[in-house]
């Protein structure tokens, strides 16, 4: 890991920045791929949404523990209420996200899950009154027009999936707020340890009837889905070492466009209508503008 520190100390070269963009983009793809695998599994297994969530958290917990053992590090929890809040919000967000895939379309589930930056901006308006950004609120209003365009063309069944997707976006925003606060007190491995560990325990307690000893085929889909989700999480974390928060947020939002394009090709979802495409573009553009509004002003010292 020393070479990473040296690169960061010297300032990011164009090569490392491109690498960061690629890592964040790949994370968006792997998050999308996890939902595609859920859809691929449907004709072959009877795995419940909660089991996919449990498997993702369990594999993530194992990976974090392996990293801690290799580096001979210990978790350093300080403010447990932040860690628990992050865990609960993230667990609900992932469950709603995967449920949206189960009962709706993969494309709409991913597009609506990626509304979380907009809800972060909306929540911040009410919570952080001294940092209110009126331009950002105008952008959020435009984004809600995009959300309406994505929601409105669906059938009755599609709307059910869309509302699950909306719930995933809202709860993911709460999870991100908890993450930002928790980062002030904890390192990444401590946050991931509790998120994956408590998350898997939380899901197991609530949905233990849906969790069974898998046969070979079920284990195959559970492992692939979990691996894609965990890879997405680590690539996102690693990529943000080399890019700014603004660049990372914009590249991460490309999952909106990946889902819109790839859904019909990979899982046979119906193509987005013209209104749906316009809504997806409005959401992507709004995420990008909200990220740009958060860009810090550079000091005269550089």
């Amino acid at each position: 890991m020393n070479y990473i520190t040296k690169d960061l100390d010297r300032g990011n070269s164009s090569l490392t920045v491109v690498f960061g963009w690629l890592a964040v983009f790949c994370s968006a793809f792997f998050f999308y791929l996890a939902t595609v695998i859920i859809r691929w599994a449907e004709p072959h297994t009877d795995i419940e949404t909660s089991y996919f969530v449990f498997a993702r958290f369990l594999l993530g917990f194992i990976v974090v523990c392996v990293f801690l053992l290799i580096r001979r590090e210990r978790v350093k929890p300080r403010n447990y209420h932040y860690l628990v809040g992050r865990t609960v919000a993230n667990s609900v967000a992932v469950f709603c996200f995967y449920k949206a895939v189960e009962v709706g379309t993969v494309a709409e589930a991913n597009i609506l899950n990626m509304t979380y930056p907009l809800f972060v901006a909306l929540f911040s308006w009410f919570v952080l009154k001294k940092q209110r950004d009126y331009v950002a609120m105008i952008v959020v209003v435009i984004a809600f027009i995009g959300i309406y365009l994505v929601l409105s063309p669906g059938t009755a069944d599609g709307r059910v999936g869309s509302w699950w997707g909306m719930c995933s976006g809202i709860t993911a925003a709460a999870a991100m707020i908890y993450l930002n606060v928790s980062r002030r007190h904890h390192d990444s491995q401590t946050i991931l340890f509790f998120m994956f560990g408590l998350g898997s325990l939380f899901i197991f307690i609530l949905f233990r009837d849906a969790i069974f000893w898998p046969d070979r085929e079920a284990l195959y889909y559970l492992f692939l889905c979990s691996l894609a989700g965990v890879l997405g999480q680590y690539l996102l974390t690693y990529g943000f070492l080399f890019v700014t928060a603004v660049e990372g947020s914009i590249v991460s939002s490309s999952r909106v466009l990946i889902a819109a394009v790839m859904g019909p090709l990979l899982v046979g979802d119906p193509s987005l209508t013209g209104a749906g495409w316009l809504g997806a573009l409005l959401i992507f553009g709004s995420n990008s503008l909200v990220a740009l509004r958060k860009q810090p002003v550079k000091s005269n010292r550089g």
Side-chain angles (χ1 to χ4, degrees):
M1 297 297 291
N2 290 336
Y3 69 92
I4 295 176
T5 305
K6 292 178 181 178
D7 281 344
L8 290 175
D9 289 341
R10 289 196 297 264
N12 291 344
S13 67
S14 58
L15 182 61
T16 56
V17 171
V18 170
F19 179 81
W21 289 345
L22 181 61
V24 175
F25 178 79
C26 288
S27 77
F29 177 77
F30 277 114
F31 282 136
Y32 172 70
L33 182 61
T35 61
V36 170
I37 293 169
I38 292 174
R39 181 56 55 83
W40 285 345
E42 287 179 356
H44 307 285
T45 65
D46 294 324
I47 302 173
E48 296 286 341
T49 299
S50 53
Y51 201 172
F52 278 113
V53 180
F54 171 76
R56 171 173 168 171
F57 287 163
L58 182 60
L59 179 61
F61 182 66
I62 293 171
V63 171
V64 171
C65 289
V66 169
F67 271 111
L68 289 172
L69 288 173
I70 292 174
R71 297 177 182 177
R72 297 182 180 179
E73 296 178 358
R74 294 182 179 180
V75 294
K76 301 172 183 177
R78 296 183 179 89
N79 299 84
Y80 285 95
H81 56 292
Y82 292 143
L83 294 169
V84 173
R86 162 69 175 166
T87 296
V88 172
N90 186 72
S91 299
V92 174
V94 175
F95 176 82
C96 291
F97 181 30
Y98 284 5
K99 193 69 176 179
V101 174
E102 178 187 330
V103 301
T105 69
V106 174
E108 287 188 359
N110 279 272
I111 292 169
L112 293 172
N113 176 255
M114 282 305 301
T115 59
Y116 74 83
L118 308 172
F119 285 107
V120 170
L122 185 62
F123 295 160
S124 298
W125 173 270
F126 295 102
V127 176
L128 304 174
K129 296 182 180 181
K130 294 182 180 180
Q131 300 180 24
R132 285 180 171 177
D133 187 338
Y134 290 91
V135 175
M137 280 301 99
I138 294 173
V139 174
V140 170
V141 171
I142 294 172
F144 273 96
I145 296 174
I147 293 171
Y148 172 77
L149 291 173
V150 172
L151 287 173
S152 59
T155 61
D157 290 338
R159 290 193 195 100
V160 173
S162 296
W163 287 116
W164 277 110
M166 282 291 294
C167 288
S168 76
I170 294 170
T171 49
M176 288 302 297
I177 292 172
Y178 269 112
L179 175 60
N180 288 334
V181 175
S182 189
R183 274 176 175 166
R184 301 171 189 172
H185 307 279
H186 307 100
D187 59 84
S188 296
Q189 292 299 327
T190 297
I191 295 172
L192 289 172
F193 178 87
F194 278 85
M195 186 190 78
F196 286 132
L198 283 181
S200 57
L201 181 62
F202 177 59
I203 295 297
F204 180 80
I205 292 173
L206 290 179
F207 302 101
R208 56 187 175 186
D209 291 339
I211 297 171
F212 55 90
W213 189 260
D215 58 23
R216 181 178 298 179
E217 192 167 38
L219 181 62
Y220 171 76
Y221 287 109
L222 285 168
F223 178 74
L224 283 184
C225 179
S226 302
L227 182 62
V230 173
L231 277 174
Q233 187 73 56
Y234 272 90
L235 281 169
L236 184 65
T237 302
Y238 192 66
F240 266 77
L241 288 173
F242 302 102
V243 299
T244 66
V246 174
E247 292 168 338
S249 297
I250 293 173
V251 176
S252 183
S253 293
S254 64
R255 179 152 57 95
V256 171
L257 304 180
I258 293 173
V261 173
M262 301 300 291
L265 299 176
L266 293 181
V267 292
D269 278 347
S271 300
L272 291 181
T273 63
W277 263 107
L278 178 59
L281 291 173
L282 285 175
I283 292 170
F284 173 74
S286 298
N287 279 350
S288 301
L289 288 173
V290 167
L292 288 169
R293 294 293 298 176
K294 294 179 181 178
Q295 186 169 14
V297 178
K298 293 182 179 180
S299 66
N300 294 329
R301 291 175 296 179

